[in-house]
Amino acid sequence: MKPLGRKHAAGGGPATDGCEHDMDGPSPVRLSEPEVRELFRRLKERMPDPRPELDAPNDFCFLVSVVLSAQATDKSVNEATAPLYAVASTPRQMLELGEEGLIRYIKPIGLYNAKAKNVIRLSRQLEEEFGGTLPSTREDLMKLAGVGRKTANVVLNVVFRKPTMPVDTHVFRVCNRTGLAPGRDVLEVEEGLEVRVPAEYALDAHHWLLLHGRYTCTARKPRCGDCVLAGLCPMPKEAETPLDKSGPIGV
């Protein structure tokens, strides 16, 4: 398929995707179907063309960036991978670079030793098992080193344009605060989104929710005064809730 030469969203992580949390329970509030449709109408109006934020010159590099983004910012990943992808942008080139060579580029990123091992292993798997290309199913993607359900869902959505619902800490927080898809864990939230998101919004839904959580519905100081979901969201303005200090960690 055509390489992805544009910016993409974060959402990667190790095989478990680091999505454990200590929340006491899901929000008791659940938006009605018309409210859900209005929520996405507003988010689309605010962000008509949501642009995820990892830089990647092709599909393979995008997968690597998502894996590297666990417990790291997109900015730090982009800074590390810009020079990396100039010398290694295919599985074979990554294998030629080797684990020690890779570490020299990604050392500023957290957990670089484990991530380097995973990137080299998944590069070998892609070469030996998938002809050097990314598999297009969740099951096959999750066979790759360092790829859990969330990372697989991100790749399926961004690379293969499938309406999957990756749930990271931002999406988890927004879904519970607003009552869009309350859940005790990320799988429950993901399954709720799959049922509740209208089909016409499904492809970009996780991008809107992630970006809204990252820049407006932030963990400790949500910008409620600048929120397009005012009147829909039951959270008191400028108030902290138990969700502010919980949610999936390590994303």
Side-chain angles (χ1 to χ4, degrees):
M1 78 178 281
K2 205 176 205 178
L4 295 170
R6 59 186 179 86
K7 290 190 175 181
H8 303 288
T16 60
D17 281 330
C19 291
E20 299 171 358
H21 61 90
D22 56 5
M23 189 175 114
D24 292 332
S27 168
V29 178
R30 187 177 293 270
L31 296 181
S32 67
E33 186 174 332
E35 288 172 328
V36 170
R37 192 170 294 278
E38 174 63 12
L39 178 147
F40 282 108
R41 187 198 66 78
R42 294 186 191 183
L43 290 176
K44 182 176 182 179
E45 186 176 68
R46 172 66 68 92
M47 297 176 278
D49 185 24
R51 288 287 176 177
E53 297 178 327
L54 284 177
D55 295 326
N58 60 41
D59 300 347
F60 167 70
C61 291
F62 176 66
L63 170 63
V64 171
S65 287
V66 177
V67 170
L68 294 177
S69 70
Q71 300 188 41
T73 65
D74 287 358
K75 181 180 179 181
S76 69
V77 172
N78 288 338
E79 289 174 350
T81 56
L84 168 64
Y85 295 152
V87 298
S89 61
T90 68
R92 183 167 298 179
Q93 289 173 340
M94 199 67 73
L95 289 171
E96 291 171 353
L97 182 63
E99 191 174 317
E100 292 303 315
L102 175 57
I103 285 174
R104 288 198 293 270
Y105 289 95
I106 67 171
K107 201 165 186 177
I109 303 174
L111 306 175
Y112 59 86
N113 281 316
K115 291 177 180 179
K117 289 182 187 297
N118 283 333
V119 170
I120 296 302
R121 284 178 59 203
L122 73 82
S123 297
R124 183 170 292 108
Q125 288 174 288
L126 289 172
E127 278 292 303
E128 295 178 355
E129 300 174 31
F130 299 100
T133 62
L134 266 59
S136 60
T137 68
R138 182 188 291 132
E139 292 72 22
D140 282 341
L141 284 165
M142 289 179 66
K143 294 176 184 176
L144 301 175
V147 177
R149 184 181 181 89
K150 176 167 60 65
T151 298
N153 280 341
V154 171
V155 171
L156 290 172
N157 181 265
V158 174
V159 174
F160 297 104
R161 304 302 289 162
K162 296 183 179 180
T164 53
M165 299 294 165
V167 179
D168 73 346
T169 185
H170 303 298
V171 175
F172 183 89
R173 181 172 62 250
V174 171
C175 287
N176 273 288
R177 279 182 176 172
T178 61
L180 168 61
R184 291 180 179 275
D185 56 48
V186 293
L187 184 58
E188 189 175 352
V189 170
E190 178 187 335
E191 291 172 345
L193 287 171
E194 289 175 344
V195 171
R196 309 206 75 210
V197 176
E200 64 266 33
Y201 296 117
L203 192 59
D204 287 324
H206 108 270
H207 297 305
W208 284 316
L209 296 171
L210 185 156
L211 294 170
H212 184 69
R214 179 175 288 168
Y215 296 111
T216 302
C217 192
T218 54
R220 298 193 181 279
K221 292 185 178 179
R223 298 171 54 203
C224 298
D226 189 40
C227 182
V228 297
L229 305 183
L232 288 174
C233 178
M235 182 178 170
K237 281 191 175 182
E238 310 299 344
E240 278 196 352
T241 73
L243 284 173
D244 295 325
K245 298 179 181 179
S246 62
I249 61 175
V251 182

